[in-house]
Amino acid sequence: MEEEIWDYIDGNSSPEQALAIQAKIANDPAYSSLYEELLAINDQMNGLDLEEPSMSFTRNVMDQVKLEIAPVSLKTKVDTRIIYGIAAFFILAIVSILGYVLSNTTFTFPEMKFNMGFQMEQIDFGKYVSPTFIKIFLFVDLLLALAFLDSYLRRKRA
């Protein structure tokens, strides 16, 4: 009931609603008394002067805001050392299995012949890829991985 009357006083109601509310105010004494009270409140509110803040209010408020400590977002505490340890274990396992497979593999290829009038010679990978070469290659990879890990940890500390 109050909302209808406030909409009528503010002029926010449709013309059909305004006619219905006028009829209710004219016929119903409860509507009429409430309408008179709300109209008096509206007149009092329209008569009030709005207070304006001082010129330096905004500056003072913003200075106080700058002094406030910025809230820190809450994060779930996960120990990253555990995650890095698990990742290192799996990487080490994969590299060691790959190294074992490569060191125990013999590379032989069948002779390749084409009918285009020329013959390709067989490439002997055994001369180039020996177990010693694979071990040296894996050792150099290990050194590069350790250098990368060292630079990563130094950047993380700084």
Side-chain angles (χ1 to χ4, degrees), residues 1-22 24-25 31 34-35 38-39 42 45:
M1 190 160 97
E2 285 183 21
E3 288 181 31
E4 288 180 344
I5 295 175
W6 273 118
D7 287 340
Y8 175 72
I9 291 171
D10 292 336
N12 295 334
S13 58
S14 66
E16 296 87 18
Q17 290 174 338
L19 290 174
I21 293 171
Q22 283 177 354
K24 288 179 184 178
I25 292 171
Y31 261 88
L34 185 60
Y35 173 73
L38 294 179
L39 195 57
N42 189 39
M45 287 177 27

Side-chain angles (χ1 to χ4, degrees), residues 5 67 96 152:
I5 295 175
L67 295 177
S96 61
Y152 176 75

Side-chain angles (χ1 to χ4, degrees), residues 130-147:
S130 64
T132 306
F133 174 78
I134 291 173
K135 289 176 185 174
I136 291 171
F137 177 75
L138 290 175
F139 181 71
V140 169
D141 283 346
L142 178 66
L143 290 177
L144 290 172
L146 288 174

Side-chain angles (χ1 to χ4, degrees), residues 30-63:
Y31 261 88
S32 178
S33 64
L34 185 60
Y35 173 73
E36 295 298 327
E37 288 176 24
L38 294 179
L39 195 57
I41 292 172
N42 189 39
D43 290 339
Q44 288 176 356
M45 287 177 27
N46 287 338
L48 294 176
D49 290 331
L50 295 176
E51 294 183 21
E52 293 185 19
S54 66
M55 295 294 283
S56 63
F57 176 77
T58 304
R59 183 176 43 85
N60 292 338
V61 169
M62 294 310 291
D63 288 343

Side-chain angles (χ1 to χ4, degrees), residues 7 16 21 27 58 66 72 88-89 92 94 97-98 100 104 117-118 124 130 144 156:
D7 287 340
E16 296 87 18
I21 293 171
N27 298 332
T58 304
K66 287 179 188 175
V72 178
F89 170 76
L92 182 65
I94 290 170
I97 291 171
L98 183 64
Y100 176 76
N104 290 324
F118 64 91
D124 185 19
S130 64
L144 290 172
K156 193 172 182 180

